[in-house]
Amino acid sequence: MEPENKKEKKNEGFRKGFLAGLLTAAVLLTGAFGIRYMTGLTGGDYTGGLVSEKDVQEKLDRINAVIEKYYLYEDEIDAEDLVEGIYAGYTASLGDPYTTYYDEETTREFMKSVSGEFGGIGATVSKKSDEDEIRISEVYEDSPAEQAGLKAGDVLLQADGHPVSGEDLETVVSWISGDPGTEVELRVLRNGEEIGITVIRDIIETQTVEYEMKEGDIGYIRVEEFDKVTYDQFKEALDALEAQGMNSLIIDLRGNPGGQLTTVTDMLKLFLPEGVIVSTKDKYGNTDEITCDGDHEFKKPLAVLVDGNSASASEIFSAAIQDYGVGTIVGTQTYGKGVVQQTIDLGDGTCMKVTISEYYTPSGRSINGTGVTPDVEAEYEYDENDPERDSQLEAAVAAVKG
């Protein structure tokens, strides 16, 4: 079977999704930019005047009484899950898709993932915004996933007994990742048949950058996300292309959901002149700027490929390149996530990812809710006579050729 339907793959604009057991899913989708340890937090009675502690306890008692008297599957109730559901629901009620509460298990997986090496299976999962279906989008060579028989294109049904339909990607990734040497049971749908696959997790090193020299000495670098390891991988790719005689460069950020602020700003220091890279403003009006000394300003023709799934740190990168006129932005309107998250340790093994500020491009633009408008609009057009053709990449090649 072919690993993934080529037409579907092209129409998704090379969306890779999240690395199952490879990456910090909780960070990358929303572009969280750091970890802050804050214990002993107090205050914030946002329900004051509406409910009291007594009201809450009485309401929970009534709900528990209803469950005890009527709920059919009472033997399957997990009291800890009920409690965690209260915290998760309270946070979700803010209505901010980027502010999330994580229980102990999900927090542990997140903290492991920031090292760049951790237990996983070596596969990626993706999910279309308008569907509940989660599928395996890529299986890495010689990975535990490949050795167990997992294939790109498999539709994921269950992970360790958890049905995945309706779940967000970061939760599913937390179920799949785990300690090296442990097993994860997956159920997938392949060609209409349900298949059970047991994968033994191993230490996986994240590979976030791919590169090659295109015809005409055009360098091409694809960045999957801005992880902690990405800068070194990107610098290695850039140096290798320079050594091969690169005369222009295309950076592909299509489907890149974001990542760490320090990573993207360090990468931008390899391209920008002296000045502000990005600034942020918090709820109190406090501003912070990250600047570039201009020592490595990129002088060759440059194009940056983006699409509707280029978000957060990808938008910081493309907006800065655009504002300084260092390169040409090619593709379609980006996602429009112009806010920053901080991960807060709650002091009991759990954490919150919370929106703390809005960011602004070097020219002072906010792209939140609007995204970055390409300099050269180029929709992806699938060619059934040549499925490998990439019309957006062709537009980028034309841009760097002038």
Side-chain angles (χ1 to χ4, degrees):
M1 149 180 159
E2 193 158 306
E4 192 170 8
N5 182 281
K6 290 181 180 178
K7 181 174 181 179
E8 178 180 321
K9 181 177 181 180
K10 293 294 183 181
N11 285 338
E12 288 181 359
F14 293 88
R15 178 168 55 228
K16 296 296 185 182
F18 296 91
L19 298 182
L22 281 178
L23 302 179
T24 28
V27 190
L28 297 176
L29 176 61
T30 60
F33 295 131
I35 306 171
R36 178 179 297 166
Y37 296 93
M38 297 179 65
T39 58
L41 292 170
T42 59
D45 183 14
Y46 289 102
T47 61
L50 294 176
V51 293
S52 65
E53 183 177 346
K54 180 182 178 182
D55 293 334
V56 172
Q57 186 59 59
E58 288 181 352
K59 187 66 170 282
L60 286 175
D61 286 345
R62 287 196 292 273
I63 292 172
N64 282 326
V66 170
I67 293 171
E68 183 175 3
K69 184 170 183 178
Y70 297 109
Y71 184 59
L72 179 61
Y73 304 110
E74 183 181 0
D75 292 342
E76 300 176 16
I77 293 174
D78 187 316
E80 291 186 5
D81 285 348
L82 290 177
V83 173
E84 293 297 326
I86 294 172
Y87 306 141
Y90 191 85
T91 306
S93 295
L94 293 172
D96 177 9
Y98 310 121
T99 296
T100 311
Y101 167 82
Y102 296 107
D103 62 20
E104 288 188 51
E105 181 180 356
T106 310
T107 298
R108 282 195 301 270
E109 295 305 321
F110 166 69
M111 295 303 177
K112 288 180 195 174
S113 66
V114 296
S115 68
E117 287 188 344
F118 37 86
I121 68 170
T124 67
V125 293
S126 63
K127 179 180 181 180
K128 292 183 178 179
S129 59
D130 58 346
E131 294 181 2
D132 284 337
E133 183 178 274
I134 294 176
R135 67 171 61 241
I136 306 298
S137 55
E138 187 171 0
V139 176
Y140 284 80
E141 187 177 355
D142 297 326
S143 67
E146 183 184 64
Q147 293 166 11
L150 200 64
K151 294 183 180 295
D154 288 345
V155 176
L156 186 62
L157 302 176
Q158 290 185 12
D160 258 359
H162 302 283
V164 305
S165 179
E167 297 289 347
D168 54 55
L169 284 172
E170 55 201 51
T171 299
V172 173
V173 169
S174 74
W175 293 335
I176 296 174
S177 59
D179 293 332
T182 60
E183 295 182 349
V184 56
E185 299 286 343
L186 305 178
R187 289 201 67 80
V188 301
L189 184 66
R190 183 186 301 164
N191 294 331
E193 178 186 359
E194 283 196 27
I195 302 172
I197 297 176
T198 300
V199 188
I200 300 176
R201 303 177 178 103
D202 202 349
I203 291 291
I204 304 296
E205 182 175 336
T206 307
Q207 185 62 42
T208 62
V209 173
E210 300 173 359
Y211 71 95
E212 64 176 305
M213 187 72 82
K214 299 287 187 182
E215 185 179 349
D217 292 328
I218 299 173
Y220 172 85
I221 303 178
R222 171 161 181 79
V223 183
E224 299 282 354
E225 69 278 315
F226 296 92
D227 201 7
K228 286 183 69 174
V229 298
T230 303
Y231 175 83
D232 288 339
Q233 294 175 4
F234 183 85
K235 184 65 164 59
E236 180 181 346
L238 190 62
D239 290 345
L241 291 170
E242 291 279 18
Q244 294 175 41
M246 173 181 71
N247 60 33
S248 58
L249 176 63
I250 296 170
I251 299 174
D252 192 347
L253 301 182
R254 289 175 295 179
N256 183 322
Q260 299 195 14
L261 181 61
T262 52
T263 298
V264 68
T265 53
D266 284 347
M267 288 167 61
L268 281 165
K269 290 174 184 178
L270 301 173
F271 293 90
L272 299 183
E274 183 177 1
V276 174
I277 299 174
V278 65
S279 62
T280 61
K281 181 183 292 186
D282 66 16
K283 66 185 290 184
Y284 304 105
N286 299 319
T287 59
D288 188 26
E289 292 183 344
I290 298 176
T291 61
C292 177
D293 57 20
D295 288 346
H296 305 283
E297 184 177 355
F298 195 74
K299 299 291 188 178
K300 297 177 180 180
L302 171 68
V304 179
L305 270 169
V306 296
D307 64 9
N309 294 305
S310 304
S312 196
S314 292
E315 294 173 293
I316 289 176
F317 190 97
S318 54
I321 294 294
Q322 186 177 63
D323 278 4
Y324 281 107
V326 174
T328 303
I329 311 303
V330 180
T332 58
Q333 196 81 7
T334 63
Y335 185 83
K337 182 187 177 294
V339 288
V340 178
Q341 279 68 50
Q342 193 84 30
T343 302
I344 311 293
D345 182 352
L346 297 178
D348 61 353
T350 67
C351 71
M352 274 185 67
K353 184 183 66 197
V354 58
T355 299
I356 61 166
S357 60
E358 187 167 357
Y359 72 75
Y360 299 86
T361 74
S363 65
R365 290 185 292 161
S366 169
I367 56 88
N368 196 41
T370 58
V372 176
T373 301
D375 302 306
V376 176
E377 293 278 353
E379 292 280 351
Y380 177 80
E381 298 177 358
Y382 178 73
D383 186 345
E384 61 181 13
N385 296 318
D386 184 7
E388 297 299 325
R389 183 186 174 200
D390 186 341
S391 57
Q392 289 178 315
L393 180 56
E394 290 174 357
V397 168
V400 295
K401 284 184 175 180

